[in-house]
């Protein structure tokens, strides 16, 4: 009843009238709820309705009642927020109006009598009203009655059925489970057989998803490479930009300096010339002025003498004679005086040629800059080299102007060779250079000279750079693995030693473009024991490192961590045995190889015709199988690496073996250690022997694989690592199966 006691579903308080009060009430039988429509005598109403129903169905009374009822219902619909429900009921209005009975429209259901008994607790008046199809109109169950009246008026209720519209639910489509390669879209499997995809190529959705991921990862890898290239190119452009800016900045400063110097020189020359011209002008004018004054004085004297002589001519003879003698003396003295009638200073100007040689020299010095100082070559930066190239950088004093640089280099001379190395030179305009076509893992000495129009600078100090190493070479046939680890070995691939090695791992199901999932760094030697996850497939790469940076990746090698995987050690193989190319089959031919008696050896078997395998040095459980011939004399087991090679397997405390001999149609099986064997009878001759080496429990067990039979178990103290061993006393072959899962019957031992 919790739902019935709550608020009416669909009632939106935000749309209700402002003065409208809400009450928590039971819509079915609460007598305290607010009376929305006043009660009226239902009997009276029933009579009116019956009278109206006897009239012509198309009469005005019925239409009026229907219209009034429709208006009341519409008001209630708006009040209770039932507009959506009204739309769902419109399609049934006509059927209900015509009084169609026995028709069960879509969405109608039978009434639940228990629900009627629970929801309709009405008296006799309610029953009478129900006979008219109004179902408690105006009674105590007023809210629910109004909803039922609304449903009745819209063809959604009758005396026998309660009708509601069930929302149409979309058919739940079956999820897509395959991918159409042709259309590049997910589809359902059923569409493949009947739809347009019938002739198209399809693939499982998971496989398509993985393929799409792989493609995205590859594109991401390519994009990352392109980003790195663009970043390197942008760094190169930035360095060029800075170099050009610095050079032009220095030229601008130099030009401004020379320009100011020229202006100062011209101003000084101007002052000197003006002062010289003024001095010469003064001298000439003073000389001419003195000469002019002297000439004026002489002229005045001449005029005075002429006047005196004229006056004398008018005197008496006696006076004339007296004055004439004195005048003659005076005139004689005057005439004896030399008068300078030549101009001392000519009016013509002298040729004032200006000497601008020093200015011209200054003008020329604008483009004649001093030779630069010696550059300073930088030490080698980390990761600045590849196997065939190296990036060299240097710097220059800021006051120098440089047009180009000459970078020279040569391999570092080895004193043992006793000969000079060839020198190479490249010309660049930047303060760096990437030198290519070099030998890997080799030291080179570099020096640089700066140049401009004034000439070259002194040489810089010499710096030693080193190229990156060559990629190592993984020895794929010497890889050993188990479920927890792998032992990887490789060749350096370089004549000179390197600093260290890095092993990179990526799972086989991961695309190569995705990159490295794990790296083991700082490996000093050419081998490494790496911890891995069980039952996985890994792709292994190795890089060599030195001061110049890492080498390129080696060729990949695949490692499986499914069971124990090993190869036969050819260094231990007796000369009468032959190991197949795949390294898993041992053959002793019918005809013995005639050789001289073998010398004792610590690695090669010389008496026992045997060979050892190289098992990974990891403690745990190791399992492998040996396929044998029932009529073959053989020995299989394990032994320490330093087992005496001049003794038979099982004849000492360094080996634990199972030996089979066949004579006179009888099979003899021995489990040998230190020349002792237990008394054991084997009734079914094994064709495939399983061998379980358990370091944790110090046990070595043998099994008949075909019938899952346990043959024997050694309890042995393994103070050091042991390796599989195989021996053939007669011609035949043994085939080793390793890198396989351990059978269920073996796991119990």
């Amino acid at each position: 009843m919790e739902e019935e006691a709550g608020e009416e579903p669909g009632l939106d308080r935000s749309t209700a009238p402002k003065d409208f009060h809400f009450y928590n009430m039971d819509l079915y039988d609460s007598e305290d709820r607010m009376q929305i429509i006043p009660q009226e005598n239902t009997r009276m109403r029933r009579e009116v309705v019956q009278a109206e129903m006897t009239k012509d169905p198309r009469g005005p009374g019925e239409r009026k009642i229907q219209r009034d009822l429709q208006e009341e219902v519409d008001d209630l619909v708006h009040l209770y927020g039932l507009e959506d429900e009204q739309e769902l009921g419109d399609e049934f209005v006509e059927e209900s109006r015509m009084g169609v009975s026995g028709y069960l429209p879509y969405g109608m259901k039978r009434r639940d009598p228990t629900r009627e008994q629970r929801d309709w607790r009405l008296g006799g008046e309610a029953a009478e009203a129900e006979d008219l199809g109004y179902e408690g109109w105006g009674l105590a169950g007023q809210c629910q009655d109004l909803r039922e009246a609304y449903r009745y008026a819209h063809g959604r209720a009758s005396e026998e059925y309660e009708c509601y519209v069930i929302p149409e639910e979309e058919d739940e489509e079956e999820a897509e489970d395959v991918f159409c390669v042709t259309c590049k879209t997910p589809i359902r499997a059923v569409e493949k057989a009947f739809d347009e995809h019938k002739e198209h190529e399809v693939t499982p959705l998971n496989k398509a998803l993985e393929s799409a991921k792989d493609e995205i990862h590859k594109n991401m890898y390519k994009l990352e490479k392109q980003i790195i290239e663009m970043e390197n190119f942008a760094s190169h452009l930035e360095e060029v930009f800075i170099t050009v800016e610095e050079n032009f900045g220095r030229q601008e400063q130099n030009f401004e300096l020379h320009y100011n110097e020229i202006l100062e020189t011209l101003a000084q020359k101007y002052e000197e010339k003006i002062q010289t011209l003024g001095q010469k002008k003064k001298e000439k004018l003073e000389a001419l002025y003195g000469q002019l004054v002297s000439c004026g004085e002489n002229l005045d004297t001449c005029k005075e003498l002429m006047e005196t002589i004229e006056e004398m001519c008018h005197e008496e003879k006696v006076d004339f004679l007296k004055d004439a003698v004195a005048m003659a003396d005076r005139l004689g003295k005057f005439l004896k005086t030399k008068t300078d009638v030549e101009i001392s200073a000519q009016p013509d100007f002298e040729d004032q040629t200006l000497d601008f040689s020093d200015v011209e020299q200054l003008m020329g010095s604008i483009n004649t800059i001093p030779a630069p100082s010696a550059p300073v070559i930088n030490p080698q930066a980390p990761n600045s080299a590849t196997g065939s190239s190296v990036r060299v950088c240097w710097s220059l004093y800021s006051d120098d102007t440089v047009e180009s640089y000459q970078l020279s280099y040569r391999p570092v001379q080895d004193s043992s060779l006793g000969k000079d190395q060839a020198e190479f030179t490249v010309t660049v305009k930047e303060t760096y250079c990437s030198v290519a076509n070099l030998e890997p893992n080799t030291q080179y000495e570099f020096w640089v000279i700066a140049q401009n129009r004034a000439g070259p600078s002194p040489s810089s100090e010499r710096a030693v750079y080193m190229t990156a190493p060559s990629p190592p070479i993984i020895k794929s046939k010497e890889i050993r693995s188990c479920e927890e680890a792998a032992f990887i070995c490789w060749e350096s691939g370089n004549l000179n030693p390197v600093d260290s090695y890095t092993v990179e791992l990526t799972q086989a199901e991961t695309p190569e473009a995705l990159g490295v999932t794990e790296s083991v760094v700082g490996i000093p030697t050419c081998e490494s024991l790496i911890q891995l996850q069980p039952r996985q497939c890994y792709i292994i790469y190795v890089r060599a490192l030195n001061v110049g940076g890492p080498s390129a990746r080696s060729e990949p090698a695949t490692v499986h961590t499914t069971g124990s995987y090993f190869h036969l050690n050819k260094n231990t193989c007796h000369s009468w045995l032959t190991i197949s190319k795949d390294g898993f089959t041992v053959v002793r031919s019918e005809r013995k190889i005639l050789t001289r008696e073998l010398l004792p050896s610590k690695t090669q078997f010389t008496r026992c015709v045997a060979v050892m395998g190289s098992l990974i040095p990891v403690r745990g459980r190791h399992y492998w199988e040996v396929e044998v011939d029932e009529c073959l004399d053989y020995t299989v087991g394990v032994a320490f690496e330093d087992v005496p090679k001049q003794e038979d397997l099982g004849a000492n405390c360094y080996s634990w073996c199972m030996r089979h001999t066949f004579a006179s149609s009888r099979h003899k099986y021995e489990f040998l250690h230190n020349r002792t064997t237990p008394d054991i009878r084997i009734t079914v001759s094994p064709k495939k022997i399983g061998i379980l080496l358990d370091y944790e429990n110090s046990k070595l067990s043998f099994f008949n694989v075909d019938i899952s039979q346990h043959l024997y178990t050694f309890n042995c103290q393994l103070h050091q690592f042991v390796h599989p061993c195989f021996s053939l006393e007669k011609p035949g072959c043994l085939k080793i199966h390793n890198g396989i899962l351990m059978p269920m019957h073996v796991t119990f031992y």
Side-chain angles (χ1 to χ4, degrees):
M1 300 298 293
E2 185 176 355
E3 180 183 356
E4 298 172 359
E7 293 182 359
E8 181 69 22
L11 187 59
D12 187 0
R13 297 193 180 195
S14 62
T15 59
K18 182 177 181 182
D19 297 329
F20 189 84
H21 300 283
F22 289 90
Y23 295 86
N24 293 324
M25 56 187 172
D26 188 351
L27 297 181
Y28 300 105
D29 55 2
S30 175
E31 297 181 357
D32 299 330
R33 61 176 173 260
M34 181 181 65
Q35 300 297 324
I36 300 177
I37 301 178
Q39 290 187 352
E40 58 180 315
N41 192 302
T42 56
R43 186 178 300 276
M44 233 175 160
R45 186 157 51 100
R46 183 183 60 180
E47 293 176 356
V48 173
V49 172
Q50 287 179 348
E52 292 294 338
M53 291 178 65
T54 57
K55 296 182 179 180
D56 185 3
R58 306 179 64 87
E62 181 182 356
R63 289 195 297 271
K64 183 176 183 302
I65 292 174
Q66 186 69 28
R67 184 169 56 255
D68 294 339
L69 182 60
Q70 181 66 39
E71 292 177 355
E72 292 179 358
V73 170
D74 291 339
D75 293 337
L76 292 175
V77 166
H78 177 71
L79 180 62
Y80 281 91
L82 301 175
E83 288 85 355
D84 296 337
E85 197 173 16
Q86 182 182 15
E87 294 176 3
L88 293 173
D90 288 342
E91 57 182 296
F92 302 105
V93 171
E94 288 302 323
E95 288 80 356
S96 297
R97 246 182 226 173
M98 298 302 297
V100 178
S101 61
Y103 173 69
L104 187 62
Y106 174 78
M108 295 179 66
K109 67 177 182 179
R110 295 279 183 180
R111 284 189 181 176
D112 186 358
T114 59
R115 177 182 174 94
E116 289 185 1
Q117 186 177 2
R118 184 178 68 248
D119 295 347
W120 298 95
R121 301 173 184 175
L122 306 177
E125 292 182 351
E128 293 177 359
E130 186 177 3
D131 294 339
L132 294 175
Y134 288 89
E135 297 183 8
W137 178 271
L139 299 180
Q142 204 163 2
C143 294
Q144 183 67 24
D145 299 347
L146 291 172
R147 293 171 63 86
E148 293 297 333
Y150 163 74
R151 292 191 181 98
Y152 175 80
H154 287 75
R156 300 181 62 191
S158 66
E159 294 181 359
E160 192 171 65
Y161 300 101
E162 179 178 337
C163 174
Y164 63 94
V165 176
I166 301 176
E168 292 186 5
E169 299 181 358
E170 296 182 358
D171 294 338
E172 295 184 359
E173 295 185 357
E174 183 182 352
E176 293 83 353
D177 51 0
V178 295
F179 183 80
C180 179
V181 180
T182 306
C183 299
K184 305 293 184 183
T185 181
I187 62 173
R188 294 178 298 169
V190 67
E191 298 180 8
K192 167 62 179 173
F194 303 102
D195 208 345
E196 59 183 4
H197 308 281
K198 185 174 181 180
E199 302 297 331
H200 293 178
E201 179 185 357
V202 298
T203 184
L205 198 60
N206 292 337
K207 185 176 180 181
L209 180 61
E210 292 298 326
S211 177
K213 289 181 178 179
D214 293 348
E215 187 66 24
I216 291 176
H217 291 153
K218 292 178 181 178
N219 292 333
M220 288 175 61
Y221 176 72
K222 295 179 181 178
L223 185 59
E224 289 176 357
K225 289 183 62 179
Q226 187 173 358
I227 290 174
I228 293 174
E229 292 177 357
M230 294 302 296
E231 288 178 347
N232 294 336
F233 181 69
S235 176
H236 173 71
L237 287 179
E238 185 177 1
E239 292 177 353
V240 173
F241 180 86
I242 294 174
T243 302
V244 171
E245 186 179 26
E246 290 177 351
N247 287 340
F248 274 94
R250 287 192 292 268
Q251 290 183 7
E252 289 174 358
Q253 293 176 359
N254 185 49
F255 180 79
E256 183 178 2
L257 179 64
H258 284 76
Y259 178 76
N260 292 333
E261 187 176 356
I262 290 173
L263 290 181
E264 291 177 0
T265 302
L266 288 174
Q268 183 179 357
K269 285 187 172 293
Y270 173 78
E271 294 295 334
E272 292 177 355
K273 290 297 182 183
I274 290 297
Q275 187 175 0
T276 301
L277 289 174
Q279 186 68 25
K280 290 182 178 180
K281 174 183 175 182
K282 180 179 178 182
E283 292 176 357
K284 279 194 172 186
L285 290 179
E286 287 179 351
L288 291 173
Y289 180 76
Q291 200 172 14
L292 181 62
V293 171
S294 176
C295 182
E297 291 176 352
N298 291 332
L299 183 61
D300 291 340
T301 301
C302 290
K303 287 181 178 181
E304 181 183 358
L305 290 174
M306 288 296 292
E307 290 176 356
T308 302
I309 292 173
E310 287 179 358
E311 290 177 357
M312 287 174 60
C313 291
H314 297 288
E315 289 180 355
E316 293 292 335
K317 295 180 179 180
V318 177
D319 293 334
F320 176 78
L321 291 174
K322 292 179 179 179
D323 293 335
V325 175
M327 179 59 65
D329 295 336
R330 182 180 176 188
L331 185 61
K333 293 179 180 180
F334 177 78
L335 292 175
K336 291 180 179 180
T337 303
K338 187 177 180 179
T339 302
D340 188 7
V341 293
E342 294 182 1
I343 298 175
S344 60
Q346 295 296 328
D348 298 335
F349 289 100
E350 297 179 1
D351 186 8
Q352 299 293 330
T353 303
L354 299 178
D355 184 10
F356 287 104
S357 59
D358 51 352
V359 177
E360 292 176 355
Q361 184 177 359
L362 287 174
M363 291 293 292
S365 66
I366 293 179
N367 297 322
T368 305
I369 55 180
S373 303
V376 179
I377 196 164
N378 300 338
Q380 185 172 9
N383 302 325
S384 61
T386 66
S388 60
S389 66
V390 66
R391 182 182 176 89
V392 184
C393 299
W394 57 89
S395 57
L396 192 69
Y397 292 109
S398 59
D399 293 338
D400 292 337
T401 300
V402 177
E403 296 178 356
S404 63
Y405 299 92
Q406 283 189 346
L407 177 65
S408 302
Y409 62 95
R410 68 180 180 183
V412 174
Q413 185 174 358
D414 189 352
S415 58
S416 62
L417 297 178
K419 61 178 182 180
D420 295 334
Q421 299 288 341
E423 295 183 2
F424 304 92
T425 302
V426 292
T427 302
V428 295
K429 293 185 177 297
E430 297 81 18
T431 56
Y432 63 91
C433 179
S434 293
V435 183
N437 301 322
L438 304 179
E439 293 296 326
N441 200 36
T442 303
Q443 289 183 331
Y444 290 84
E445 58 180 359
F446 290 85
W447 63 97
V448 64
I449 296 174
Q451 289 182 325
N452 59 19
R453 295 182 181 179
S457 72
S459 175
S460 67
E461 296 292 332
R462 302 201 174 195
V464 176
Y465 279 58
M466 192 170 190
T467 53
S470 297
I473 303 171
I474 299 178
K475 300 178 182 178
S476 300
K477 293 193 175 181
E478 297 184 19
I479 292 177
R480 295 172 276 169
S481 64
C482 62
E483 290 195 350
E484 295 83 16
F487 187 81
I488 313 297
C489 54
W490 56 87
E491 295 179 357
S492 173
N494 296 274
L495 297 177
N496 300 323
V498 300
D499 295 342
S500 64
Y501 298 92
T502 297
V503 175
E504 299 176 352
L505 313 174
T506 180
Q507 292 189 6
E509 60 269 17
T510 303
E512 182 180 352
L514 187 58
V516 177
T517 58
E518 183 180 356
S519 295
V520 182
V521 300
I523 303 172
T525 60
C526 291
E527 59 183 25
S528 177
L529 182 63
I530 304 169
Q531 299 296 322
L532 301 174
Q533 296 297 323
R535 300 188 181 184
Q536 298 292 331
C537 180
Y538 291 89
I539 297 177
I540 308 292
Y541 304 91
V542 180
R543 295 182 190 266
L545 287 87
N546 62 12
V547 67
S551 70
R553 277 180 169 181
S554 66
E555 291 296 323
T558 303
V559 173
H560 297 272
T561 56
T562 304
S564 297
Y565 184 84
F566 61 87
H567 286 273
L568 297 177
N569 188 351
K570 295 183 179 180
N571 295 328
T572 66
C573 184
H574 192 280
S575 60
W576 291 359
L577 295 179
T578 303
I579 300 175
S580 62
K581 291 183 179 180
D582 61 4
F584 300 114
T585 303
V586 182
V587 179
R588 179 174 179 175
S589 60
E590 293 287 345
R591 184 171 56 87
K592 293 183 179 180
I593 302 175
L594 298 177
T595 59
R596 58 185 175 86
E597 185 178 353
L598 297 176
L599 297 176
S601 173
K602 292 184 178 180
T603 59
Q604 184 182 13
F605 286 99
T606 56
R607 178 177 176 180
C608 179
V609 185
V611 64
M612 294 183 69
S614 297
L615 192 63
I616 184 172
V618 173
R619 295 189 176 273
R621 307 184 81 187
H622 302 276
Y623 177 80
W624 63 93
E625 296 175 353
V626 184
E627 190 176 334
V628 300
D629 190 345
E630 296 179 359
C631 302
L632 183 65
D633 291 354
Y634 58 85
T635 302
V636 295
V638 298
F640 291 123
E641 187 174 4
D642 56 353
V643 62
K645 304 301 190 294
Q646 295 78 32
E647 299 180 9
D648 292 332
L649 295 175
N652 48 56
C653 61
Y654 298 97
S655 57
W656 295 260
C657 300
M658 171 184 172
R659 183 167 70 182
H660 169 259
T661 55
F662 179 75
S664 301
S665 302
R666 295 183 61 182
H667 298 274
K668 181 181 178 181
Y669 293 92
E670 298 174 288
F671 295 91
L672 295 169
H673 174 63
N674 206 11
R675 295 185 181 276
T676 61
T677 179
D679 186 12
I680 294 178
R681 299 287 188 271
I682 297 177
T683 57
V684 180
S685 298
K687 296 181 179 179
K688 184 180 289 186
I689 301 172
I691 302 174
L692 174 64
L693 173 61
D694 190 348
Y695 279 103
E696 297 175 355
N697 299 310
S698 298
K699 292 182 179 181
L700 177 67
S701 301
F702 296 87
F703 302 87
N704 186 338
V705 176
D706 294 332
I707 60 176
S708 303
Q709 180 187 22
H710 172 247
L711 301 178
Y712 183 74
T713 297
F714 285 104
N715 290 313
C716 44
Q717 296 299 323
L718 303 175
H719 56 275
Q720 64 184 25
F721 291 108
V722 295
H723 298 280
C725 54
F726 312 90
S727 174
L728 287 170
E729 281 73 26
K730 293 182 180 180
C733 69
L734 297 176
K735 189 171 184 180
I736 296 95
H737 300 273
N738 58 25
I740 57 178
L741 289 175
M742 192 180 303
M744 291 297 297
H745 67 274
V746 174
T747 58
F748 298 110
Y749 290 91

